[in-house]
Amino acid sequence: MKTLKINLKDSSYEIVIKNNLLDELPYYIEDFYHNKKVYVITDDIVADLYLEKVCNSLKKSYEVESVIIPHGEESKSLRVYEDICKKLLGFNIRRNELIIALGGGVVGDITGFVAGTIYRGVDFIQIPTTLLADLDSSIGGKTGIDFAGMKNVLGMFNQPKLVLIDPTVLKTLPKEEIVSGMGELIKHGFIHSPKLIGDLLSKAPIDEEIIYESLCCKKYFVENDVHDKSERMILNFGHTFGHVIELEKGYKHGYAVIIGMLMAMEYGIDLDITNNEVIGTLKRILNLYGIKYEYYDYKEYLNKIKFDKKNLAGEINFIFIEDIGKPVIHKIKEIEL
Ligand SMILES: NC(=O)c1ccc[n+]([C@@H]2O[C@H](COP(=O)([O-])OP(=O)(O)OC[C@H]3O[C@@H](n4cnc5c(N)ncnc54)[C@H](O)[C@@H]3O)[C@@H](O)[C@H]2O)c1
Ligand SMILES: [Zn+2]
């Protein structure tokens, strides 16, 4: 078992990583929650695989109601938000009760938004079931839904009360979802943790230890910049090119981030910012984990990144790494591109 704590001014919370913790959920929840009922929100695929197990575990101490939404990004919508709220109100949820997000980033994001808005805020916890949710979306408090054709435009910062990670559920996750999580995991190593890169190179399977190391990176950036106004932007390493590739090719986000990191490294090497050995290290990790990657010439994509919505007044904050664990932000003017 591994634990770490996210220390924030108004809302600190613990993350527990333990194989098979799904069987003993009340043990962790009873520490802070003493009411009778809990409300589990999940998607249909996760429900088939784990809802019964989770309910049986929770029922040792609580009455459980559940809401099942369709899987997939389309569920991060106003319509599904409304459905969940109606069901919860139909169950007579009270303000001092507890909502549980059981699933990947989609379930986590919409549940956090529902929890933050219903009665102006009901406590919630995250039980992530994808690799991406384990080490990225379930911590940091970003919640929300897609709207008017844009991703994550309606939402809020709403931190969970607790995050419970059971790595054994990853065994049912399809390979492409593992690869997507690997993108963010490898990114955490390159921007923050030589140790994590070392662990990945020794081809440890994805276990409690690797998830812990990756979370330490996310913790560092979340604690230093809760509302994503400055340092947290370093987590965007690989994302500037990645977003363009994701949209253009329809790749899964994390896979596009892998391609984006390769491109950002080549760009950095050409600008004499990046140690030219890092790219070989990244390729070694990808080969070890059987992740096939394609080659895109960053020069052909430089003129496409300027349309990204986050660009401020003709400038891009581009994240490079000088070396493993040494990120730097360079402002690049549109004109230079
Ligand atoms: N809040 C944040 O900080 C943050 C960060 C990154 C991404 N996100 C959001 O996360 C979402 C993507 O999350 P995701 O990649 O977890 O996708 P997801 O939630 O869509 O899950 C991927 C698929 O895997 C299935 N699944 C989940 N757990 C499973 C398991 N254990 N076994 C088998 N199948 C399982 C799901 O049903 C789904 O079909 C996006 O909407 C993105 O915007 C949020
Ligand atoms: Zn990402």
Side-chain angles (χ1 to χ4, degrees), residues 43-47 49-50 70-73 76 102-109 126 128-134 136-144 146 151-152 166 168-174 176-177 180-181 184 218 232 239 252-254:
D43 74 26
D44 54 344
I45 293 180
V46 179
L49 291 163
Y50 300 109
H71 66 277
E73 183 71 25
K76 270 174 64 174
L102 172 72
V106 164
V107 167
D109 279 11
Q126 292 270 18
T129 63
T130 63
L131 182 59
L132 181 116
D134 282 353
D136 192 0
S137 62
S138 70
I139 66 162
K142 285 189 186 176
T143 73
D146 307 333
K151 257 183 81 81
N152 302 324
D166 181 346
T168 65
V169 303
L170 299 178
K171 66 180 184 294
T172 53
L173 200 61
E176 59 168 4
E177 299 298 343
S180 193
E184 307 289 354
K218 179 109 188 199
R232 199 158 158 176
H239 283 61
K252 288 227 132 242
H253 175 74

Side-chain angles (χ1 to χ4, degrees), residues 132 136 184 187 235-237 239 243 246 253-254 257:
L132 181 116
D136 192 0
E184 307 289 354
K187 177 197 76 182
L235 290 166
N236 280 335
F237 178 56
H239 283 61
H243 280 144
E246 184 177 354
H253 175 74
V257 170

Side-chain angles (χ1 to χ4, degrees), residues 210-224:
I210 285 192
I211 292 172
Y212 172 82
E213 275 307 316
S214 180
L215 280 166
C216 287
C217 168
K218 179 109 188 199
K219 166 185 157 77
Y220 173 83
F221 289 103
V222 167
E223 285 180 350
N224 285 307

Side-chain angles (χ1 to χ4, degrees), residues 216-273:
C216 287
C217 168
K218 179 109 188 199
K219 166 185 157 77
Y220 173 83
F221 289 103
V222 167
E223 285 180 350
N224 285 307
D225 178 18
V226 184
H227 293 110
D228 195 7
K229 299 216 158 105
S230 54
E231 229 186 318
R232 199 158 158 176
M233 78 170 74
I234 285 167
L235 290 166
N236 280 335
F237 178 56
H239 283 61
T240 308
F241 287 122
H243 280 144
V244 182
I245 297 280
E246 184 177 354
L247 277 178
E248 191 177 286
K249 306 285 172 191
Y251 292 154
K252 288 227 132 242
H253 175 74
Y255 180 67
V257 170
I258 290 172
I259 310 274
M261 285 192 284
L262 284 164
M263 293 165 87
M265 285 177 180
E266 286 187 336
Y267 189 19
I269 290 167
D270 284 355
L271 294 175
D272 269 338
I273 295 169

Side-chain angles (χ1 to χ4, degrees), residues 18 38 41 49 70 87 95-96 110 131-132 143 188 206 236 268 271 313 326:
K18 184 169 183 283
V38 294
I41 320 284
L49 291 163
K87 292 210 172 99
R95 194 174 169 191
N96 57 4
I110 193 166
L131 182 59
L132 181 116
T143 73
H188 285 166
I206 304 302
N236 280 335
L271 294 175
K326 294 194 178 132

